[in-house]
Amino acid sequence: MDDLAAYVAAWKGCAADIEDLLRELDDDDWARETDCPGWTVRDVAAHLAALEAELAGAPGPHLDQVSAATANVSGAYTQAGVEERRDRSPRELIEEFSDAVRRRAADLEADPPSDPEATPRRNPGGVDWDWQTLLRNRVVDVWVHEQDIRRAVDRPGDLDTPAAQVTTGTFLAALPYVIGKRAGAEPGTTVVVGVDGRPTAYIVNSEGRCEPTDDVPPEPTVRLDMDTETFTVLGAGRRDPLMVDVGITGDRDLAERILHALAVTT
């Protein structure tokens, strides 16, 4: 299975998991606050329904529905999709989401993308993404929001699904930029990040560029150890590093700079 087909399969599996999860919730669950600032479980479900409906062919949201508190265009667009669904019941949101997923899945099955760099027929909000970026980002978005809901309603799970693996891999791929640019690690620095006991190693070369390495040093400049949930919570910018459990060995100042720079999506 190529990467594009794997992304589609992971997205479909995660979307089915979200539908099953939403159908289990009661009214109190739908009103619970999530780690997305200002969003309840209902708002997260509305956001998921809005994006999947648009990608399945429905018109995108109107920006005049956005509240004055929205800070940027990207945030404005996603918030608009939520605002337009304020009068819809949980059942209606579930049905909109599941129907959009079914229609989009059928479209992707009938005409599967084959060129990662080609432009999709539809992108959310008119962003300039190729197929590789769109399909990967949809996996990350749906899985991260599934976990937002699960934490809010105290129903943990799905931390080892294909969608979880895509998300973790995407966040790991961003670590060279996080370590070298955002955290400003010096040349010669070595960093090991262990997620569920699986270490990945990085080294900053003489030019200040951080790169992955297959050689895991026994005594790196800094080592960070955490589980999948913690790593992805930080990568998604959901919680402050002080709120989660991370094992730190070595240069603590650098470790804290890396942890505070880990949010690569919000």
Side-chain angles (χ1 to χ4, degrees):
M1 183 182 297
D2 64 24
D3 285 347
L4 298 186
Y7 290 150
V8 171
W11 162 76
K12 287 171 61 178
C14 188
D17 292 337
I18 290 172
E19 182 179 348
D20 290 343
L21 173 62
L22 292 177
R23 293 189 186 280
E24 296 175 2
L25 305 184
D26 59 26
D27 289 344
D28 288 341
D29 289 329
W30 281 84
R32 297 188 192 282
E33 296 291 329
T34 70
D35 286 325
C36 299
W39 276 10
T40 62
V41 168
R42 187 192 183 287
D43 295 328
V44 173
H47 163 66
L48 289 168
L51 279 188
E52 291 302 338
E54 181 180 357
L55 288 169
H62 300 289
L63 290 181
D64 59 5
Q65 297 290 323
V66 183
S67 65
T70 304
N72 58 67
V73 174
S74 176
Y77 197 81
T78 56
Q79 186 65 31
V82 174
E83 298 296 338
E84 288 183 355
R85 288 161 175 76
R86 288 294 179 200
D87 61 348
R88 301 187 192 180
S89 69
R91 179 180 293 276
E92 288 173 321
L93 292 175
I94 293 171
E95 292 308 318
E96 182 184 22
F97 174 73
S98 60
D99 178 65
V101 168
R102 282 194 294 270
R103 288 188 289 116
R104 185 163 169 252
D107 185 40
L108 289 168
E109 182 177 351
D111 186 16
S114 58
D115 181 358
E117 297 181 355
T119 301
R121 292 179 293 277
R122 289 180 291 272
N123 264 319
V127 294
D128 186 21
W129 286 346
D130 58 21
W131 271 116
Q132 173 93 3
T133 304
L134 172 63
L135 294 178
R136 182 194 63 220
N137 285 1
R138 288 311 304 140
V139 177
V140 173
D141 188 60
V142 294
W143 186 82
V144 165
H145 284 311
E146 178 194 351
Q147 295 303 310
D148 289 332
I149 296 169
R150 287 189 178 281
R151 288 193 302 277
V153 301
D154 195 23
R155 286 175 171 81
D158 288 350
L159 291 168
D160 57 356
T161 62
Q165 294 165 15
V166 169
T167 304
T168 302
T170 300
F171 292 170
L172 285 171
L175 279 177
Y177 176 77
V178 169
I179 295 166
K181 295 295 185 181
R182 288 186 173 180
E186 298 291 333
T189 297
T190 54
V191 176
V192 174
V193 178
V195 178
D196 285 334
R198 297 184 297 273
T200 56
Y202 306 86
I203 186 167
V204 181
N205 65 25
S206 59
E207 298 177 353
R209 183 182 179 85
C210 182
E211 301 172 330
T213 175
D214 293 332
D215 297 323
V216 179
E219 296 184 7
T221 307
V222 63
R223 177 166 179 139
L224 304 171
D225 285 287
M226 62 199 91
D227 58 23
T228 293
E229 182 174 25
T230 299
F231 179 65
T232 52
V233 161
L234 293 176
R238 293 306 192 251
R239 294 185 180 177
D240 187 282
L242 296 177
M243 298 173 60
V244 297
D245 184 21
V246 179
I248 299 175
T249 304
D251 186 335
R252 191 168 191 88
D253 177 69
L254 175 58
E256 291 179 356
R257 298 205 310 271
I258 294 171
L259 290 173
H260 280 93
L262 264 181
V264 294
T265 185
T266 56

